[in-house]
Amino acid sequence: MAIPGLFVEYLVNGAVALVWAYPLLLSAGITKIENPLLPLYALGLYVLGMMIDFVAWIVTRPVKRFLRRRIAQSYKADVDQQPGSSTGRQVKFSIYAPELARENAMRSSRDRIARGSFINAILATIIVLPLTIGIPISIFTFAMWWGFESVSYKFELKAEQAIKGKLS
């Protein structure tokens, strides 16, 4: 994915993190943002977004593996062999079907924002939200990520199959 896309994803996840981070800043005595410091705060949101994405990647990785195995099994009739890595598919898409590469990158971007939203919801629940609000939001954001990840992976498999048919 292009750097500007990742830049936006990290800023979005960092900005969403303000739901739980802002109260922490207030409790630390940071009540006013001086104009000359705004670029530093934007940089801080970017780095916070990177950290959120990294934690989200670690937390969702085992679930993602389970989900992808399940989807691959359901597509067994459509997929000739065990599907390769997403990175390998992205390279094939870039070489043989740039429009598929762009679509896949957009889907991946959405998936990263969704998994970051899940972690942000959990942190917001722990830090500021009442459990009666935070738990349903956390469950919803997890379900949202699950759904997006499922659709994206199905797209990858079908796109790979289309490229194989085109190259054969």
Side-chain angles (χ1 to χ4, degrees):
M1 162 160 247
I3 290 174
L6 288 173
F7 180 73
V8 170
E9 292 165 19
Y10 293 154
L11 278 179
V12 167
N13 281 331
V16 172
L18 286 174
V19 168
W20 58 266
Y22 185 70
L24 292 177
L25 292 173
L26 290 176
S27 67
I30 300 172
T31 58
K32 186 177 178 185
I33 298 173
E34 301 294 329
N35 284 342
L37 297 177
L38 281 176
L40 292 177
Y41 284 105
L43 180 61
L45 287 179
Y46 177 77
V47 172
L48 181 59
M50 286 174 64
M51 293 186 316
I52 293 294
D53 186 59
F54 182 70
V55 169
W57 177 76
I58 290 169
V59 168
T60 60
R61 188 174 169 117
V63 178
K64 183 176 178 176
R65 285 182 177 158
F66 166 80
L67 177 62
R68 286 182 171 223
R69 268 193 307 268
R70 203 172 111 187
I71 290 169
Q73 287 171 351
S74 71
Y75 275 59
K76 209 171 204 172
D78 294 338
V79 179
D80 295 337
Q81 58 189 9
Q82 184 68 10
S85 74
S86 288
T87 304
R89 277 189 294 281
Q90 185 62 31
V91 169
K92 284 181 199 171
F93 298 161
S94 296
I95 294 169
Y96 300 111
E99 66 285 349
L100 289 178
R102 282 189 295 279
E103 175 69 21
N104 197 49
M106 287 189 299
R107 289 169 179 269
S108 181
S109 179
R110 178 195 61 196
D111 300 347
R112 274 194 285 283
I113 290 171
R115 77 179 179 205
S117 297
F118 170 58
I119 296 303
N120 275 321
I122 290 172
L123 290 168
T125 300
I126 292 168
I127 296 169
V128 304
L129 294 177
L131 294 179
T132 56
I133 295 172
I135 290 175
I137 290 173
S138 296
I139 292 169
F140 176 78
T141 55
F142 179 80
M144 180 178 67
W145 169 78
W146 178 283
F148 289 155
E149 185 64 37
S150 297
V151 170
S152 294
Y153 188 58
K154 289 173 186 175
F155 174 83
E156 277 185 36
L157 294 178
K158 288 295 190 179
E160 183 177 43
Q161 180 185 18
I163 288 175
K164 282 181 183 177
K166 184 179 173 183
L167 297 176
S168 298

